[in-house]
Every structure is written in structure tokens, then in C-alpha cells.
């Protein structure tokens, strides 16, 4: 039986499963996914599959800006941007990737401007730029204005602009389709991607999308933590799917905690506030960052600022009834700056805390924000099955990918840049590959694993509640794997995760229906969260040093001799075995360094002072 669901698309229905065929399938409709679609759409038959309506993607929550050395406001160049990216990532950045990011940043901003993005402007009509943490001129001598922005709604504007351009190009969107499996087929002794399996939220039906090229652009997994700036939908589905296919994950121990989340809530207040001049103060009103980063103070990289804030609280200088937060002081900026350049965060503080930033300081504390690690790729966004081997036809971009352009700590504004630079590369390369490749045959019943997973939950008699297990996981991660970590705390977290895995086998869902069964999908998402939390905690315990977003209280110094290399994690056994050692194999991958014409390192590891 055949029918049509999108213009020009023939689909086949077999045994209750709908089969689609496209040249390029992009999983995820955030910034990276839609930027890829804009490149792939005109060159190949392209479909974008997304668990959310595209303009609800989490890219829309990004506030502060997108870095590019345009030099519109003051002197700047892409090499300074590269240096800041490498240094900000505490030298775990692949330097060739950082150079690509910084060089192509300028065109990426101009591309968005030409698509219609309404950037803030200088009086003479150029794109305005503001300061942001870790971005400096002349290799660290002073802060520089590098962040291009649209008030404090830059991510929202990027998302809307990309979506409008996808609509203009006629890109096929499958909205509220949850991709739950990557189909791999063995060809000439090599496992290659042949399609994906998706669950349609509106009907509960399964769909198989066969494709020549598949791009994962599924975002992060911040919901492994309780206090996070991430939306409830960021459950790491794409990263978890790749992990379950026994492809590696890279640098999973490095997770960024944004300094300025609303205290107790985790809702983000953009670093752009500090770029405009806001100041962090402790309970006594001291500008404490002058002690930790005397040169650029509140605009130090996020990992340094977050640790400094936590240290102030641990040392008894925290504010509030429980002395468990510090203040972001915007009062000296004035109402006009706050209402015109920072309107969203001003409203957030008023709405959620009842605090008016115009007249009083805002209580803030670090919040889980961004995964530096993820699906390993090369600079062409091709997914790797080991340190160097490419999986033909499989690509990844955005937060779910690890290029590695952020190393152990991402600079603010480099994420919106990353999704545009590497999203564009992934779309171009996926389309080029699709135009010269043949379809890989699907196995006999490609939807079998997903069907069994879905029906197992829908018809099961388990008694454990998803919400209880998720809460216990998040609380354990906040306790033992957040800003400060130790061998003891990480071992405790791994023990909790094992116990939760056992209980997860007895999870029950109350909704037995097929239409809009979010109860069922939350149960599946919890499985991905457990997988990724375990990999994070296990790789963090293995890295016995402090670097970037990974701070070990028991190993407080950076150890370049032993750990100037990427962690590669592989699923190698039964994931339900009690010890992670039995099912997670760890390996190392060299950091890519670049040299100048004299053969000297262009960005040698330096002491990280600000």
C-alpha cells in the first residue's frame, strides 16, 4: 500500500510501520539541524525529524550572542579568537577545529544577516558587538567586544530566522516524531547507517526513514542534573542512541556549569549582563572576582567564574537565609540598558524571584548548562567509530557532537557559532555524500527493537515511577558530579545509578494509550539519561586531574603529562552489569595541535591566568 504524506514523497506501509525514503535525514530541528537543512535541502531530498515543533527547540533559549571577530567596534582578528577558544578550553581543544570555527565565524554571521536576522546595530549601522567571558584582544591582554547579538534573545532570533529560511526552501519537517533508534546494516564487513526509526507522538505509530546520509543534531542532556538551564526535552536521545549502537562518545566528563542561574531554579541569566558591566558580589558586597581573575574579573571563562562562586559560598561568604548563593549586581547599569539590551533576563528575575534588577541585586548560583563532550566527529562533521575511522554517511553537529572545538570548557557565544559553522558543514557534506552514494539496504524488520521497547512499557506491569527515579538520579548528580567532584562522590553517584538501573527494569507507565503518550516517552528518555549519567560519572572518575569544567577536589591541578588527551568511551558489555568497568571500555585520543611556519606550537599550553 502506498500513500503520500509530503509533496512528492512516496511512502510504504508494511505491518503497521510506515517507510519513508530521503537522500538526507536530519534528526533535530534546533540551530544545527536547521542550518544543516538549509545547505542540504537545495542539493538533495532532505527530511528533518524533530521531537519538538522547530521553533520550540532549545537553541531559542540562548541569550547573549554569537562570537565573530568582525572588528566592528574595536580591533579584533580571528587568530585572537582562536587563541581564546584554545585557552578557554584549557588546551584540550583540537586546534585545527578552533581555527575553522574562528575563521568561518565571520561568514557565519554574515550568512545570518543575509537571511534576515535583526542584529543590534551601532550608530553607523554595523552589527553591534559586546564583551563576553574569555574573549580577549592581543592574546589575553584585555576583554574585547566580539559577541554579535540581538538584545538578549540571540538564540531565539537565530532559530526563527533559520526556520523561516527552511520554509522558504521547502524543507520537509516531521514534527513531534521521536527518533528512538539508528538502524545499522553490515556492508562488506563494516556497519553502516541505513536509516532511523521514529515514534509519531500524535498516533503512536512507528516510522522508518531510510536515508543515504543521516545527521544527528539532537542537542544536549542537561536533564541528568536537577539544577539546570536546559529544557525538559534535553534528555540526550541522540547521544544515547549512538551509544547504544556501540559507537564511542568523547570527553563526556566535561560538563559546563553556567555561573549565573537564578538561585534555586537554574533559569539562565545571560553572560551578556556581565558583558554590559554587571558585577558579581558576595554577601558583604565585595566584587570577589577581583581576587580570582584580577585582569578580566567577572568576564573570566565560565568554569573559573562558576568555581569562584561556589568557593565563596563554601567559605561562608554566600548570601541569603542559607548563605547558598551570591549576587549579580546590575543596578548601576540603569533602567534603559536593562530594558533595551537585557529585557528577557530583567523579566525573568522579576517573574521568578520577585527581584527587580534595576533596583536590587539578583540571587544567582551555577547551573548545569552545556555538554562539551558527545558524539566524536572530524572537522567535516563525519562521525567516528574510533580515533580516526569515519562511519560513512553518518554526521553530527551542535551540542550532541564533539569536534572537539570546546575542549574542556566552552567560551560563551561559541555555541551559537558552533551550530552555524559545523551545522553548515554537516549539511553540505551529508548532501555531497548522498549525491554520490547508494542507499544501504534496511534489515528485515528495522523497527523491531523500538516496537519491543515501546510495547514493553505500554503493556508492562512495573510499579516504579519514572518521576521518582529521575529525581533520585538528578539529586545524586547534583550532589556528586557537579562543579566540584572527588573519587568518593563519583563512586557514590555510580552506585546510585546502578541501583536505579535495577529499578528501571520495573518501571511502569500509567498511560496505556497511543496518542500523545508523553508518560511512555518519559520512561524511554529516562533510560537515555541513566546511560549518559553513568558514562559522565565513570569518565570523570577516571580523569584524575582538574581541567576546565571538570574540577577534582582530590586532584586540583591540571596534569598535561598524563591527561592532555581526549577520553573515548565505548559500550563493550552488558549495560546492566553492576560495575561500569564490565561494560564501559575507556581509551584515549590525541589532542590536535597546530604549528607555525617555524614548526613551533601556535597555542602552547600555558598557565591559565586571567
Amino acid at each position: 500500500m502506498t500513500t503520500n504524506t509530503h509533496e512528492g514523497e512516496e511512502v510504504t506501509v508494511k505491518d503497521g510501520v510506515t517507510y519513508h525514503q530521503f537522500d538526507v535525514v536530519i534528526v533535530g530541528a534546533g540551530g544545527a539541524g536547521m542550518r544543516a537543512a538549509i545547505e542540504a535541502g537545495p542539493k538533495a531530498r532532505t527530511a528533518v525529524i524533530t521531537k519538538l515543533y522547530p521553533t520550540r527547540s532549545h537553541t531559542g533559549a540562548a541569550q547573549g550572542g554569537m562570537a565573530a571577530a568582525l572588528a566592528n567596534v574595536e580591533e579584533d582578528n580571528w587568530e585572537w579568537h582562536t587563541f581564546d577558544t584554545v585557552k578557554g578550553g584549557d588546551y584540550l581543544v583540537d586546534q585545527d577545529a578552533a581555527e575553522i570555527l574562528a575563521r568561518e565565524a565571520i561568514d557565519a554571521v554574515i550568512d545570518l544577516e543575509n537571511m534576515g536576522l535583526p542584529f543590534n546595530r551601532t550608530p553607523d549601522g554595523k552589527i553591534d558587538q559586546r564583551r563576553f567571558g574569555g574573549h580577549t584582544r592581543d592574546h589575553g591582554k584585555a576583554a574585547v567586544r566580539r559577541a554579535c547579538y540581538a538584545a538578549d534573545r540571540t538564540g531565539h532570533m537565530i532559530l526563527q530566522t533559520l526556520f523561516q529560511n527552511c520554509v522558504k526552501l521547502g524543507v520537509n519537517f516531521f514534527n513531534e516524531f521521536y527518533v528512538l533508534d539508528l538502524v545499522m546494516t553490515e556492508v562488506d564487513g563494516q556497519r553502516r547507517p541505513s536509516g532511523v526509526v521514529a515514534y509519531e507522538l500524535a498516533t503512536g505509530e512507528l516510522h522508518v526513514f531510510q536515508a543515504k546520509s543521516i545527521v544527528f543534531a539532537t542537542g544536549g542532556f542537561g536533564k541528568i542534573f536537577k539544577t539546570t538551564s536546559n529544557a525538559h526535552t534535553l534528555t540526550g536521545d541522540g547521544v544515547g542512541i549512538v551509544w547504544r549502537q556501540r559507537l564511542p562518545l568523547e570527553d563526556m566528563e566535561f560538563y559546563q556549569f553556567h555561573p549565573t542561574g537564578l538561585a534555586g531554579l537554574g533559569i539562565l541569566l545571560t553572560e551578556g549582563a556581565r558583558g554590559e558591566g554587571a558585577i558579581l558580589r558576595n554577601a558583604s558586597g565585595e566584587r570577589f572576582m577581583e581576587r580570582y581573575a584580577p585582569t578580566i574579573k567577572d568576564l573570566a571563562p565560565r568554569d573559573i567564574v562558576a568555581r569562584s562562586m561556589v568557593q565563596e559560598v563554601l567559605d561562608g561568604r554566600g548570601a541569603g537565609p542559607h548563605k547558598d548563593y551570591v549576587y549579580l549586581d546590575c543596578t548601576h547599569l540603569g533602567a534603559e540598558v536593562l530594558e533595551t539590551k537585557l529585557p528577557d533576563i530583567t523579566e525573568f528575575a522579576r517573574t521568578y524571584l520577585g527581584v527587580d534588577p534595576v533596583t536590587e541585586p539578583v540571587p544567582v548560583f551555577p547551573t548545569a548548562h552545556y555538554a562539551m563532550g558527545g558524539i566524536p566527529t572530524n572537522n567535516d562533521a563525519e562521525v567516528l567509530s574510533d580515533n580516526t575511522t569515519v562511519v560513512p554517511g553518518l554526521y553530527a553537529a551542535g551540542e550532541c557532537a564533539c569536534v572537539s572545538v570546546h575542549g574542556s570548557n566552552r567560551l560563551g557565544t561559541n555555541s551559537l557559532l558552533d551550530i552555524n559553522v559545523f551545522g553548515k558543514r554537516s549539511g553540505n557534506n551529508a548532501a555531497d555524500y548522498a549525491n554520490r552514494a547508494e542507499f544501504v539496504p534496511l534489515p528485515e524488520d528495522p523497527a523491531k527493537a523500538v516496537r519491543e521497547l515501546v510495547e514493553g512499557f505500554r503493556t508492562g506491569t512495573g510499579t516504579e515511577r519514572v518521576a521518582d527515579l529521575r529525581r533520585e538520579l538528578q539529586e545524586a548528580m547534583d550532589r556528586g558530579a557537579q562543579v566540584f567532584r572527588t573519587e568518593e562522590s563519583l563512586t557514590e553517584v555510580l552506585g546510585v545509578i546502578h541501583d536505579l538501573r535495577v529499578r528501571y527494569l520495573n518501571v511502569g507507565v500509567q498511560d496505556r494509550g497511543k496518542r500523545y503518550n508523553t508518560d511512555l516517552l518519559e520512561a524511554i528518555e529516562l533510560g537515555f539519561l541513566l546511560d549518559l549519567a553513568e558514562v559522565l560519572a565513570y569518565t570523570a572518575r577516571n580523569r584524575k586531574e582538574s581541567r576546565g569544567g571538570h574540577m577534582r577536589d582530590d586532584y586540583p591541578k591540571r596534569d598535561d603529562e598524563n591527561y592532555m588527551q581526549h577520553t573515548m568511551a565505548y559500550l563493550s558489555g552488558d549495560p546492566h552489569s553492576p560495575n561500569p568497568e564490565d561494560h564501559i571500555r575507556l581509551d584515549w585520543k590525541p589532542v590536535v595541535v597546530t604549528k607555525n611556519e617555524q614548526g613551533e606550537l601556535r597555542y602552547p599550553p600555558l598557565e591559565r591566568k586571567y
Side-chain angles (χ1 to χ4, degrees):
M1 165 183 167
T2 62
T3 184
N4 289 309
T5 56
H6 282 67
E7 185 177 352
E9 183 210 356
E10 278 201 350
V11 302
T12 303
V13 181
K14 180 182 176 183
D15 298 330
V17 177
T18 304
Y19 288 78
H20 310 254
Q21 194 177 75
F22 287 92
D23 296 325
V24 177
V25 163
I26 298 167
V27 185
M34 289 200 287
R35 190 65 188 85
I38 287 170
E39 297 303 315
K43 301 174 185 175
R45 293 182 61 251
T46 301
V48 179
I49 310 172
T50 169
K51 68 191 282 187
L52 299 171
Y53 191 75
T55 51
R56 288 188 59 224
S57 297
H58 198 58
T59 298
Q63 298 169 354
M66 174 174 162
L70 300 182
N72 282 355
V73 181
E74 56 192 36
E75 184 185 3
D76 199 5
N77 67 63
W78 70 264
E79 291 196 64
W80 294 352
H81 186 183
T82 305
F83 172 82
D84 291 337
T85 299
V86 173
K87 182 181 177 184
D90 222 349
Y91 300 95
L92 206 73
V93 172
D94 286 336
Q95 296 177 9
D96 56 344
E99 291 184 7
I100 289 168
L101 185 81
R103 276 202 319 268
E104 297 184 8
I106 296 164
D107 284 343
V109 169
I110 293 170
D111 283 348
L112 289 171
E113 182 183 35
N114 289 338
M115 289 182 203
L117 196 146
F119 286 109
N120 275 50
R121 299 283 169 173
T122 64
D124 60 354
K126 294 181 179 179
I127 295 172
D128 200 4
Q129 297 182 272
R130 59 164 54 130
R131 293 188 176 100
F132 239 79
H135 291 278
T136 68
R137 63 171 176 82
D138 202 12
H139 306 97
K141 290 187 178 177
V144 71
R145 299 181 189 276
R146 184 178 291 149
C148 309
Y149 65 98
D152 58 354
R153 299 167 179 152
T154 314
H156 175 79
M157 296 299 184
I158 288 175
L159 198 64
Q160 299 289 333
T161 300
L162 293 177
F163 180 60
Q164 290 161 9
N165 280 269
C166 284
V167 170
K168 182 176 77 172
L169 292 171
V171 171
N172 296 292
F173 282 94
F174 291 84
N175 299 326
E176 295 186 326
F177 279 61
Y178 279 56
V179 171
L180 297 178
D181 197 13
L182 168 65
V183 183
M184 303 286 283
T185 304
E186 189 163 320
V187 179
D188 298 328
Q190 183 183 32
R191 294 174 70 239
R192 291 173 55 185
S194 52
V196 296
V197 183
Y199 174 98
E200 185 179 1
L201 186 60
T203 64
E205 302 299 327
L206 298 183
H207 295 252
V208 173
F209 292 81
Q210 187 179 19
K212 298 176 182 177
S213 298
I214 298 168
V215 180
F216 274 84
T218 53
F221 46 90
K223 293 308 288 184
I224 61 175
F225 294 97
K226 180 182 178 183
T227 305
T228 177
S229 66
N230 285 194
H232 290 289
T233 54
L234 286 186
T235 50
D237 313 344
V239 183
I241 287 166
V242 167
W243 173 248
R244 290 180 183 180
Q245 285 296 334
R246 298 182 183 257
L247 291 169
L249 299 180
E250 180 176 352
D251 286 345
M252 288 290 285
E253 64 268 40
F254 295 109
Y255 206 93
Q256 182 173 90
F257 300 90
H258 195 291
T260 52
L262 288 178
L265 298 173
I267 295 170
L268 194 66
L269 299 187
T270 177
E271 195 169 305
R274 284 174 283 136
E276 296 293 342
I279 295 169
L280 289 164
R281 301 188 187 278
N282 59 23
S284 64
E286 177 197 7
R287 186 181 189 178
F288 58 84
M289 285 307 300
E290 290 181 334
R291 286 189 275 111
Y292 297 98
T295 302
I296 55 176
K297 304 178 180 67
D298 305 88
L299 290 174
R302 288 173 176 174
D303 60 320
I304 293 174
V305 179
R307 284 197 296 275
S308 302
M309 293 167 66
V310 173
Q311 196 62 54
E312 289 295 296
V313 168
L314 293 175
D315 291 345
R317 293 187 288 274
H322 304 292
K323 299 186 182 298
D324 56 356
Y325 56 74
V326 297
Y327 289 119
L328 181 69
D329 183 4
C330 307
T331 55
H332 56 289
L333 300 182
E336 183 179 354
V337 169
L338 289 170
E339 299 291 359
T340 58
K341 291 190 173 183
L342 302 164
D344 275 6
I345 72 158
T346 302
E347 191 60 30
F348 291 162
R350 290 168 177 161
T351 300
Y352 296 110
L353 291 183
V355 171
D356 188 348
V358 176
T359 59
E360 51 192 326
V362 182
V364 292
F365 200 68
T367 180
H369 183 56
Y370 189 90
M372 272 75 73
I375 304 166
T377 74
N378 61 19
N379 293 338
D380 292 324
E382 297 171 302
V383 172
L384 303 175
S385 61
D386 56 31
N387 287 5
T388 56
T389 306
V390 167
V391 181
L394 188 59
Y395 301 82
E399 189 175 353
C400 73
C402 182
V403 181
S404 159
V405 78
H406 304 305
S408 59
N409 173 64
R410 175 179 66 76
L411 292 188
T413 70
N414 270 359
S415 59
L416 291 179
L417 177 57
D418 177 9
I419 62 176
N420 280 282
V421 168
F422 289 99
K424 179 178 181 178
R425 282 177 162 245
S426 70
N428 269 322
N429 293 327
D432 290 346
Y433 178 85
N435 287 332
R436 65 176 188 270
E438 300 296 327
F439 285 100
V440 175
L442 292 166
E444 180 62 29
D445 185 4
K448 179 181 178 183
V450 174
R451 185 189 305 110
E452 292 175 351
L453 178 68
V454 169
E455 291 306 315
F457 282 118
R458 185 182 284 134
T459 62
T461 57
T463 56
E464 291 280 1
R465 296 181 67 248
V466 171
D468 292 339
L469 272 60
R470 184 175 56 220
R471 185 188 67 253
E472 290 179 39
L473 169 68
Q474 292 171 340
E475 289 176 349
M477 291 295 289
D478 270 19
R479 237 182 5 254
Q482 212 196 42
V483 176
F484 289 100
R485 304 162 171 179
T486 64
E487 183 95 9
E488 183 181 5
S489 74
L490 293 166
T491 300
E492 180 199 342
V493 167
L494 289 167
V496 170
I497 291 171
H498 170 64
D499 292 343
L500 293 174
R501 278 190 177 285
V502 173
R503 292 169 58 190
Y504 182 65
L505 297 174
N506 188 39
V507 157
V509 297
Q510 296 178 345
D511 187 348
R512 305 291 182 175
K514 287 192 171 184
R515 297 181 182 276
Y516 293 99
N517 191 340
T518 53
D519 192 20
L520 168 68
L521 289 170
E522 285 190 6
I524 294 173
E525 289 170 340
L526 175 60
F528 293 130
L529 291 175
L530 288 167
D531 286 350
L532 300 180
E534 181 179 51
V535 180
L536 186 153
Y538 185 57
T539 54
R541 191 175 68 175
N542 184 65
R543 183 174 285 272
K544 295 175 171 54
E545 67 157 354
S546 290
R547 184 188 298 269
H550 171 67
M551 179 66 189
R552 287 285 298 262
D553 256 359
D554 42 358
Y555 296 95
K557 293 186 178 179
R558 192 178 82 196
D559 181 358
D560 289 341
E561 184 176 346
N562 293 304
Y563 294 104
M564 180 69 86
Q565 45 192 341
H566 301 294
T567 300
M568 298 289 281
Y570 297 81
L571 179 60
S572 61
D574 178 6
H576 296 103
S577 57
N579 298 314
E581 292 90 344
D582 296 335
H583 59 265
I584 300 177
R585 177 175 67 85
L586 298 183
D587 202 353
W588 301 104
K589 177 183 174 186
V591 173
V592 177
V593 297
T594 55
K595 297 181 179 181
N596 60 24
E597 293 175 357
Q598 288 72 42
E600 301 165 333
L601 295 183
R602 295 187 67 183
Y603 312 104
L606 307 169
E607 190 176 354
R608 201 155 162 258
K609 288 184 177 179
Y610 287 93

